[in-house]
Amino acid sequence: MQWFYIFGIISAVNAGREAYERLGYFWHITDLHYDGHVIFHGDARKGCWRPDYDGIKGKGARRPMGRFGDYSCDSTWELIESAAQLMTTRHYDNVEFVLWTGDGMFHSARRLPETRQMELLQNLTDLLGKTFKSQFVFPALGHDDPFSREELAKMWSRWLPTDSLKTFKTGGYYIFERKMLKLQIVVLNTNLMKRSDTDPEANQQWVWLKNVLDKFRRNGETVYLVGHVPPGSNERQRGAASIPSHFSYVDHHNRKYLEIVKNFSSIIAGQFFGHLHSDTFRVIYNNNGKPISWAMVSPSVTPRRTNDGPNNPGLRLYKFDKDTGQVYDYTQFYLDLSVANANENRLAEWSVEYNFSTYYSINEISAGSLHALADKFTQDNPYGNSVFNKYYRANSVRFNTNPSTGCDATCAHTHFCTITRVDYDQFQQCMQTAPSALSASRSFVSRPLAILILSVSVVINSLV
Ligand SMILES: *[C@@H]1O[C@H](CO)[C@@H](O)[C@H](O)[C@H]1NC(C)=O
Ligand SMILES: *[C@@H]1O[C@H](CO)[C@@H](O)[C@H](O)[C@H]1NC(C)=O
Ligand SMILES: *[C@@H]1O[C@H](CO)[C@@H](O)[C@H](O)[C@H]1NC(C)=O
C-alpha cells in the first residue's frame, strides 16, 4: 500500500517535470506596417492616412506626430525597434519560434517602386534576424507585402529550408517540419482566398493543404495553421447593412477552409491570424454544433486607425507544449501610445496588458473554453466589470476602454456572431436574430444618457 503511494508520488513528480521541460514560448507579431516615409521623403506625416482626422475636420488642424507614432499613422521605426527590444526581455531562452503574419509595409507602400518595398521588408527581416539570433521566424504573406515571392524567398532563406522555399515560391505557402517533435507549422497564403472559386493557384493551395494534413495525421502529428487574414468576418462592423463588405475570404474559400478544419480538427492544435488589427478569436463547430477548433487573432503593431478605429500597438507571447503544440496561455503586451509619446526622452515602455488565463479566469485555451467565454458575452450585464467589457477593452488594445460609449447591444451582438459563426450564412442568420439577452440587460441605460456621455466626450475632445 505504502509503496504504491510512494510510486504514485514519484510518477506524479516525473510527469510534472516532463511537462515543465516541454513548456515553451512563441511570439506572434503581425501587421507591423512600417512607414518608410520619414526615410524616403523626410516627412513622417505624408504616409498617414487622413492626417487631419484627429484634429477638427475642415480646419486642417494637424498635430506633429509623436516619436512612437500616431493613431492616424503607420509604425515608425522607433516603435518597431521598441517592440523588438521588448521581445528580447521575456523568456528569451525559452522562445522556440516566432510567427510573423504579414503586412510589413505601410498602407500606401504599393505605390512605391519594388526596390523601395523590398527595402522596407529587408529592414524588418534584418531587425527580426538580429532580435532572434537562434530562433526561427515563420513569415506569412499579407497583402501589404511585396509581390515578388522570388525576392522574398531569397530574403527569408535565412529561416526557411529549401523544401519550404519551393512551395513558397510557387504559391506563397509552406510547411516547416520540426524533426522529432509532434507539432508542425503550416503557413497559408490567405491572399489567395480573395480570388475566384476557380482560380488555379487558390485551388492548388487547397489540394496541397489537404495532402500535408493527411500526411501529418498519418504520422500522428499535430499542426498550427498560420496566416494573415482570418476566415469569417470582421467583428468590428456596425449593423446588418454592411455585412458583405466585411467578409474576408470569398464564400467558396471560406467554406473550403471550414470543411478542412472540421475534417482535421483532431490534429489542429491552433490557428493564428492577424490582419484585423484587433484582439479577438473565433470558434469553429462541427455539424452537430460541438465546438471543435479555435482561431486566435492578434492585434497589430501599427496603431493606425482603420475604418473600425485605432488601437494601441500589441505583441503576443504564447505559452505552449513544445512537443504537442497544446496552447496553455498567452500574455498580451501593449504600448500605450499616448503615454509613450508624452515621455519623448524615454524608451517606450511596453507592458503586460493581460494574461489570458487570469484575465478571463480560464485555465486552458480550447474550443470548449472559448465557446463558453463567447457565450458569456450574451448573458452578462455588459457594463461594469463584465466579461464582455474586458473583451471589448482588449479588442482595441485598450484604445476604447468602455463599451457604454462605443458599443451598444447590436455591436456586442455582432462580436458574438462573428466569433461563433465563421460560416457566412450562419453569421447572417445570427445577425438577424435579435440580441434579446443583451438588449434586455442593457435597457437600463437609456438613449439620452448615452448621448449625454457622447456629447461630454466631444466637448472634452474639442477642449484638448
Ligand atoms: C534600411 O536600413 C538601411 C541600413 O541601416 C538604412 O540605410 C535605410 O535608410 C533603411 N531604410 C528604411 C526604409 O528603413
Ligand atoms: C471532409 O470529409 C468528408 C467526409 O469524410 C469528405 O466527403 C470531404 O471530401 C472532406 N473534405 C475535405 C476538404 O477534406
Ligand atoms: C503573465 O505572464 C507573464 C509572462 O509570462 C509573467 O511574467 C507574469 O508573471 C504573468 N502574470 C500573471 C498575473 O500571471
Side-chain angles (χ1 to χ4, degrees), residues 46-211:
K46 262 208 175 124
C48 297
W49 182 68
R50 297 174 68 178
D52 61 349
Y53 200 106
D54 280 346
I56 298 160
K57 262 185 99 185
K59 293 196 180 160
R62 279 182 143 211
R63 292 181 322 196
M65 181 155 100
R67 180 168 154 216
F68 297 105
D70 190 284
Y71 292 114
S72 294
C73 304
D74 275 326
S75 304
T76 61
W77 186 250
E78 280 87 348
L79 173 62
I80 293 170
E81 266 188 325
S82 74
Q85 179 55 35
L86 168 81
M87 292 193 287
T88 62
T89 64
R90 306 289 170 133
H91 299 288
Y92 188 74
D93 293 333
N94 289 320
V95 168
E96 295 294 305
F97 53 77
V98 179
L99 305 179
W100 175 22
T101 54
D103 275 9
M105 310 191 298
F106 62 99
H107 282 80
S108 47
R110 279 260 165 269
R111 290 191 222 121
L112 296 173
E114 177 92 20
T115 49
R116 286 302 207 188
Q117 298 185 27
M118 290 312 291
E119 183 181 334
L120 293 171
L121 258 284
Q122 183 69 58
N123 286 17
L124 294 175
T125 300
D126 289 347
L127 180 68
L128 288 174
K130 260 196 307 198
T131 306
F132 297 102
K133 292 198 178 63
S134 57
Q135 292 96 338
F136 284 98
V137 175
F138 304 127
L141 274 184
H143 38 90
D144 280 327
D145 287 318
F147 281 132
S148 171
R149 298 196 292 246
E150 280 288 333
E151 292 296 312
L152 289 171
K154 252 186 251 160
M155 189 182 292
W156 292 336
S157 62
R158 66 164 84 201
W159 297 311
L160 305 183
T162 319
D163 285 349
S164 307
L165 289 171
K166 216 166 116 196
T167 56
F168 180 82
K169 277 189 249 178
T170 56
Y173 44 80
Y174 61 91
I175 54 174
F176 184 92
E177 297 201 66
R178 299 166 78 236
K179 300 273 144 49
M180 316 294 292
L181 294 165
K182 277 205 184 72
L183 175 71
Q184 307 300 327
I185 310 290
V186 179
V187 177
L188 302 169
N189 177 4
T190 57
N191 294 338
L192 302 179
M193 317 291 196
K194 285 263 186 211
R195 305 240 188 116
S196 77
D197 300 9
T198 53
D199 181 82
E201 266 196 331
N203 286 311
Q204 197 49 47
Q205 175 167 239
W206 293 127
V207 173
W208 167 85
L209 179 60
K210 200 162 154 5
N211 283 340

Side-chain angles (χ1 to χ4, degrees), residues 25 90-91 317 319 329-331 333 352 354-355 357-358:
Y25 295 84
R90 306 289 170 133
H91 299 288
L317 182 67
K319 184 171 167 186
D329 202 358
Y330 68 76
T331 303
F333 292 92
V352 173
Y354 67 91
N355 285 353
S357 60
T358 41

Side-chain angles (χ1 to χ4, degrees), residues 337-373:
L337 196 60
S338 343
V339 172
N341 281 337
N343 301 321
E344 286 262 341
N345 303 322
R346 283 207 270 147
L347 288 177
E349 277 172 40
W350 287 71
S351 43
V352 173
E353 185 194 353
Y354 67 91
N355 285 353
F356 178 83
S357 60
T358 41
Y359 195 59
Y360 291 121
S361 309
I362 292 177
N363 54 20
E364 53 154 22
I365 295 184
S366 68
S369 68
L370 290 169
H371 162 76
L373 176 62

